[in-house]
Amino acid sequence: MNDMTRPGEIDPPYLHPDYRSTRLRAPKEALVALPAGAYAAAGPLVPAGFVRDRDNDLTLQGKGAPLGEKMVLSGRLLDEDARPVRRSLVEIWQANASGRYAHPGDTHDAPHDPNFVGMGRTFTDDEGWYRFVTIKPGAYPWQNHAFAWRPQHIHFSLLGHAPIQRLVTQMYFPGDPLLAIDPVFNSVPDEKARARMVSSLALETGLEGVALGYRFDIVLAGAGATPMEGTP
Ligand SMILES: [Fe+2]
């Protein structure tokens, strides 16, 4: 991986008033510049054993199968020159099929699924590929404005080679009518950049007769970078 330079026009601004919580958390003072080379720092390494077998299959974390539409989510982690980012930690978290997180802070009046925690992790392979088996998350309401609902989405964390390089983003689903009115999705100003947050249906990457396949490639830097955004 190179220096993880993020082009300024791709990521959303800190303040996007339609996305209400940014009004409170956007920095009001000038940012403090990190020393040159800080983003290239190596380590500390993710400890051996941090990722266990089956951590990339979110349908195996309960006593039975979770409810919902089973899906395989796979893609490649790439640098600005389309080179694979190898052996790099990829983590996801998401709501269950009813649109509720397994978290005490989620008060959405939708059922918990005792067989679904909604968190997974894996390392990319030597070609930069990651792969998760999960269920399609539901849309959920939030307090941003009247009748506000988040599109179906899966949160991603990309650790890079050191915690200082960590990036987070959200992956969306093709054809979701909520995308057009979602302030988080639309806080990314460029239409082509927004499109890079939307996965594509890739049936052949699914499980025949069992699970739909979606593909989502992530580009960490450069002009074709995937936007990196907030984490509601
Ligand atoms: Fe979310």
Side-chain angles (χ1 to χ4, degrees):
M1 197 183 306
N2 290 347
D3 66 359
M4 302 283 284
T5 300
R6 304 283 312 166
E9 69 275 14
I10 289 179
D11 294 334
Y14 291 113
L15 176 63
H16 183 71
D18 287 349
Y19 179 3
R20 200 171 65 180
S21 59
T22 68
R23 300 179 203 168
L24 298 174
R25 68 171 183 244
K28 293 184 172 56
E29 307 288 336
L31 301 185
V32 176
L34 289 170
Y39 287 110
L45 297 175
V46 179
F50 182 71
V51 176
R52 299 164 300 181
D53 287 349
R54 302 175 20 138
D55 276 355
N56 71 331
D57 190 334
L58 287 72
T59 70
L60 299 177
Q61 296 171 349
K63 291 178 179 168
L67 297 172
E69 187 178 288
K70 194 169 182 176
M71 57 175 273
V72 175
L73 173 57
S74 60
R76 295 181 76 202
L77 189 62
L78 302 166
D79 72 8
E80 64 265 52
D81 297 318
R83 293 176 300 199
V85 180
R86 302 184 170 98
R87 302 292 158 194
S88 193
L89 183 66
V90 178
E91 295 172 290
I92 61 171
W93 63 101
Q94 63 169 98
N96 68 23
S98 300
R100 187 162 185 182
Y101 287 95
H103 187 282
D106 189 340
T107 56
H108 178 201
D109 184 19
H112 284 298
D113 185 337
N115 291 312
F116 194 72
V117 176
M119 292 169 50
R121 57 171 63 108
T122 191
F123 285 114
T124 55
D125 69 12
D126 285 339
E127 298 301 318
W129 283 96
Y130 70 87
R131 180 177 180 275
F132 292 101
V133 179
T134 185
I135 55 101
K136 194 173 187 181
Y140 58 80
W142 63 313
Q143 305 302 315
N144 192 73
H145 56 278
F147 300 100
W149 284 74
R150 294 297 329 282
Q152 295 167 298
H153 62 276
I154 293 179
H155 296 266
F156 272 74
S157 164
L158 302 317
L159 188 66
H161 291 318
I164 196 172
Q165 297 177 346
R166 180 174 182 252
L167 295 171
V168 294
T169 192
Q170 299 182 32
M171 183 218 85
Y172 300 91
F173 291 88
D176 189 332
L178 291 171
L179 287 174
I181 53 172
D182 180 48
V184 180
F185 182 71
N186 289 294
S187 68
V188 174
D190 180 68
E191 183 178 0
K192 289 180 179 168
R194 284 198 297 277
R196 293 197 290 271
M197 297 187 290
V198 181
S199 59
S200 56
L201 190 64
L203 291 177
E204 70 283 0
T205 66
L207 299 168
E208 173 75 39
V210 175
L212 284 168
Y214 288 91
R215 178 159 179 184
F216 182 57
D217 290 345
I218 302 163
V219 180
L220 292 175
T226 308
M228 298 291 157
E229 50 162 347
T231 60

